């Protein structure tokens, strides 16, 4: 079971609580987690990735095990603690400004 934590605005959009739990087929990658998340919550399509290219949106970041995975290949397997359900896969809305 993969645990996913979404930023507040996406939790509200999907009408979910603090955490989403997903069954994801192996190998468990960012792409597969996001595919499953969007399949289960279709209102999230296009919010984290561009609908046409599948690329991560500019102000969305992905983290796991205190590491920024945002620039990793979407097909890189996620860390073992995420696979074991010990750590969540975090979707974070980035901030900008100055």
């Amino acid at each position: 079971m993969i645990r996913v934590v979404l930023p507040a605005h996406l939790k509200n959009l999907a009408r979910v609580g603090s955490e989403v739990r997903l069954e994801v087929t192996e190998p468990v990658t960012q792409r597969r987690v996001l595919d499953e998340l969007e399949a289960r919550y279709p209102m999230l399509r296009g919010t984290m990735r561009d609908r046409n290219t599948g690329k991560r949106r500019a102000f969305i970041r992905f983290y796991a095990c205190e590491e920024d995975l945002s620039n990793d290949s979407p097909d890189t397997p996620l860390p073992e603690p995420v696979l074991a359900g010990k750590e969540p896969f975090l979707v974070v809305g980035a901030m900008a400004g100055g």
Side-chain angles (χ1 to χ4, degrees):
M1 188 70 63
I2 304 301
R3 299 167 42 214
V4 180
V5 175
L6 298 169
H9 68 288
L10 295 181
K11 285 180 197 177
N12 290 338
L13 182 63
R15 296 186 181 126
V16 297
S18 62
E19 189 173 274
V20 175
R21 293 176 183 259
L22 302 171
E23 290 287 339
V24 180
T25 58
E26 292 187 9
V28 179
T29 64
Q30 285 181 37
R31 183 184 317 273
R32 289 197 176 186
V33 168
L34 296 173
D35 286 347
E36 182 62 31
L37 189 62
E38 291 173 343
R40 194 168 185 194
Y41 301 98
M43 67 285 289
L44 294 178
R45 286 190 188 125
T47 62
M48 297 171 283
R49 304 182 288 181
D50 182 271
R51 286 182 185 245
N52 297 319
T53 66
K55 291 185 179 182
R56 175 183 56 84
R57 293 225 174 259
F59 289 97
I60 294 289
R61 308 294 291 182
F62 304 126
Y63 288 87
C65 303
E66 298 182 18
E67 292 183 39
D68 186 348
L69 307 177
S70 303
N71 294 315
D72 289 0
S73 165
D75 297 313
T76 300
L78 293 178
E80 180 59 37
V82 174
L83 305 180
K86 294 177 183 175
E87 294 286 333
F89 178 75
L90 302 169
V91 178
V92 178
M95 303 279 289

